[in-house]
Amino acid sequence: MSSTLSATASGPLPWQELVTAALLGTDRRTPPGLPPGREAPAALLDAAAVAAVRRRAGLCAAPAAVRPEPAAPDPRPPLPPAAARRLVVLLADRPGTGVGRRGAAPDLMELLPQWLALANERGFAAPPEALPALLDAARGRTDLRPAALAFAGPRALWLARLNPDWRFALRAAQGGGELPSAEDSDRVRGLWRQGLFAERVALLCALRARTPAAGRALLSSTWPTERAEDRLMFLDSLRTGLGPEDEPFLERALADRSRNVRAVAAELLSALPDSALAVRMGRRAATCVAVDVTAPVPTLVVEAPHECDAGMERDGVAAQPPAGRGERSWWLGQLLDTAPLRTWPGRLGGRTPQEIVALPVADGWQGELHAAWCRAAVRQRDADWARALLGAPSAPEAGGPGAVSLAERAKLLGTLGTEERAAWVAGFIGTHGLSEAFQLLGVCTVPWAGELGRAVVDALNIARDAGSYPWSFSGVMGLAERCLAPAEADRLEGLTAIPDETEGAAPGAGGYWAEAFQRLTATLRLRAAMAAELTP
């Protein structure tokens, strides 16, 4: 060391020179100025030690930074100890931390959203020590953020202000959790006029959720001065709390300079069956559809519009069709899906929705007609029409190409009550199997009703007996792990054994099915344990 010190007394070796020599190795690069007669590696280390001391000694003391304000208190009760331990385990199973093939082990990361939903429902506060991992998990999965941030509470926002990697929490928390209340009119007006766009959207959404009239009044106060793209986003926020009181404002928006704004205004008005726009569109649509009573059986006949006049355009009908679409069918579809559904029983001989949907349609217009009625039923949340358009789940056309696609059926199911929705999907699976059921299962309430759960398990059992591999149903299997009621675990126990391999079955399929059912059973039991641990 002493020789090195003397060797560097005339001036320190540049730190970068030492680093470069260390990285490349002293055989390839020897820093100049090292004392002769010593092994180069030892001399390099001595020089590095001297340089490090010199660097540290040269640092000037800086004044201490201002300590941050304490985080806002979280008044919610703490998690029960078992639930807190479970949270640590769930957060440790983030992508990239796994150990490879899961086999029969549950997918813990897929259970985290359910755990968070239950913890939020029961009003627990997040343990402070779990907040960094919770924020990291929410950073990697946008679908997790709403529940994770609600559970993390004000302390997570406090942390997010100190770490740029967690800034998403401030954006997602509607202005960082500092939105003024509707009663604080000065702060509301100040934020609305001077806030960033995201803050203004968050403010408007929050006001609409609590007092729709206050949100509408705030938007009206600056509407003429907003940019077109901002008007579009602000107008879309009126979906929350939409009611007849919004009609005058939306009618004025029909005359907006922006075609997109006019289209959104028309869409919102069409969701109000008593609005003047809905009445106008109902009159136009009624002239396009009639019953031909002179045919051997009553038949619907369609006469699509021959032009898109100025009045239709003002009411939100887009004149230019997309590529590959005929003009008349394009205009017809827009009229039909905006018209109130109550137009049709009176127009079509007093028939019920079921009777109207069952009528034959002339000249190949059935697909266009039924698709438009589907959109109208979904928009107007009309369960009677949705029920009629869905038809019987056991009908052959319910499982294949027809006037109403599976995607449209899934949307229609959303208008039905929980039990009716589950019963329809169970009937569909009982007739058509699981191959086309994935979209339909996705709109059913979790946990699945008993009838639906049994239909899914029976269909999986049939698929196993048919000799296919379980990964052909991996999507449904994943849903079943998250959505089946935990009480089904006992009934599944009999399917976890490896069956005898039958002639013609896929090689090894029985073992893979047993493993899949073991994972399903273990996951259901784990979910039951999670729920018990979160019991106050």
Side-chain angles (χ1 to χ4, degrees):
M1 175 67 77
S2 59
S3 61
T4 303
L5 287 171
S6 62
T8 58
S10 59
L13 287 173
W15 178 257
Q16 190 56 44
E17 283 283 340
L18 296 172
V19 172
T20 303
L23 292 174
L24 294 176
T26 51
D27 291 340
R28 297 175 59 190
R29 185 184 183 95
T30 302
L34 291 181
R38 296 201 60 199
E39 292 184 356
L44 176 64
L45 291 175
D46 285 348
V50 171
V53 171
R54 189 187 297 272
R55 282 159 58 93
R56 291 180 181 179
L59 290 176
C60 295
V66 178
R67 298 181 64 180
E69 292 293 324
D74 191 337
R76 296 174 296 178
L79 281 174
R85 289 193 293 273
R86 180 73 67 190
L87 176 62
V88 172
V89 173
L90 294 176
L91 289 173
D93 200 54
R94 295 199 303 274
T97 61
V99 293
R101 183 174 179 275
R102 291 187 181 278
D107 186 345
L108 300 183
M109 194 60 191
E110 289 303 314
L111 294 181
L112 183 57
Q114 205 165 92
W115 188 96
L116 289 171
L118 197 55
N120 285 330
E121 178 185 317
R122 297 185 179 177
F124 289 114
E129 64 274 16
L131 291 178
L134 194 59
L135 287 168
D136 281 342
R139 182 189 177 205
R141 283 184 56 175
T142 54
D143 65 309
L144 205 61
R145 288 181 185 177
L149 295 179
F151 177 61
R155 289 169 178 158
L157 297 180
W158 183 88
L159 273 180
R161 294 189 183 96
L162 304 176
N163 186 341
D165 288 345
W166 299 331
R167 290 291 183 190
F168 70 89
L170 302 179
R171 295 191 296 270
Q174 298 186 344
E178 297 177 353
L179 289 178
S181 66
E183 294 73 25
D184 193 348
S185 56
D186 288 342
R187 286 191 63 203
V188 166
R189 284 196 296 271
L191 183 58
W192 180 248
R193 293 184 181 281
Q194 299 170 11
L196 300 174
F197 176 70
E199 293 172 330
R200 302 180 73 206
V201 171
L203 175 64
L204 184 57
C205 291
L207 285 180
R208 285 292 292 182
R210 287 176 290 186
T211 51
R216 185 180 60 251
L218 187 67
L219 181 56
S220 300
S221 67
T222 59
W223 178 258
T225 63
E226 304 289 354
R227 299 184 306 165
E229 55 267 36
D230 294 352
R231 292 199 303 276
L232 184 65
M233 290 295 293
F234 293 147
L235 193 62
D236 198 63
S237 68
L238 296 190
R239 294 180 194 279
T240 303
L242 182 67
E245 300 80 10
D246 296 319
E247 184 181 353
F249 178 81
L250 294 173
E251 275 285 340
R252 290 195 295 275
L254 283 177
D256 196 89
R257 301 184 300 276
S258 165
R259 180 170 59 84
N260 291 331
V261 171
R262 293 198 302 271
V264 172
E267 182 185 343
L268 293 174
L269 282 169
S270 69
L272 301 173
D274 295 322
S275 68
L277 177 132
V279 172
R280 294 195 297 271
M281 298 301 271
R283 289 177 185 149
R284 293 185 180 109
T287 64
C288 299
V289 183
V291 180
D292 182 0
V293 294
T294 64
V297 294
T299 301
L300 291 179
V301 290
V302 174
E303 182 66 24
H306 290 270
E307 64 171 345
C308 181
D309 57 35
M312 288 168 62
E313 286 199 67
R314 182 190 177 277
D315 283 343
V317 177
Q320 188 65 34
R325 185 82 181 271
E327 285 184 331
R328 295 184 62 197
S329 67
W330 171 244
W331 299 331
L332 174 70
Q334 295 177 79
L335 293 185
L336 293 176
D337 65 29
T338 312
L341 287 165
R342 67 184 182 201
T343 302
W344 303 112
R347 169 67 177 162
L348 303 177
R351 292 177 170 84
T352 65
Q354 285 77 10
E355 292 168 337
I356 293 172
V357 171
L359 289 173
V361 183
D363 302 326
W365 283 103
Q366 187 189 40
E368 194 72 52
L369 195 58
H370 285 198
W373 281 338
C374 280
R375 294 192 294 272
V378 171
R379 186 180 296 174
Q380 296 172 33
R381 310 296 298 172
D382 192 312
D384 287 339
W385 273 90
R387 205 173 287 120
L389 291 160
L390 279 167
S394 57
E397 64 270 19
V404 180
S405 68
L406 279 172
E408 288 165 333
R409 288 181 195 279
K411 293 177 183 175
L412 291 172
L413 282 169
T415 68
L416 304 183
T418 300
E419 293 182 5
E420 186 177 5
R421 198 183 315 167
W424 196 96
V425 178
F428 179 93
I429 292 172
T431 303
H432 305 287
L434 289 170
S435 300
E436 306 292 342
F438 186 79
Q439 292 182 75
L440 306 178
L441 285 168
V443 299
C444 292
T445 303
V446 178
W448 288 339
E451 181 183 7
L452 176 58
R454 288 189 292 275
V456 171
V457 172
D458 290 345
L460 288 171
N461 194 18
I462 291 170
R464 182 190 68 161
D465 293 344
S468 58
Y469 285 111
W471 43 80
S472 300
F473 302 91
S474 57
V476 174
M477 270 291 188
L479 271 181
E481 290 178 21
R482 297 190 296 276
C483 303
L484 263 180
E488 294 288 336
D490 292 339
R491 208 166 70 84
L492 283 163
E493 192 65 46
L495 301 175
T496 57
I498 300 176
D500 295 332
E501 196 162 294
T502 59
E503 186 177 353
Y512 291 120
W513 273 107
E515 186 179 82
F517 282 122
Q518 289 165 13
R519 182 171 57 251
L520 178 55
T521 306
T523 303
L524 296 183
R525 291 191 169 136
L526 179 56
R527 284 175 47 208
M530 283 168 30
E533 291 164 358
L534 282 167
T535 301

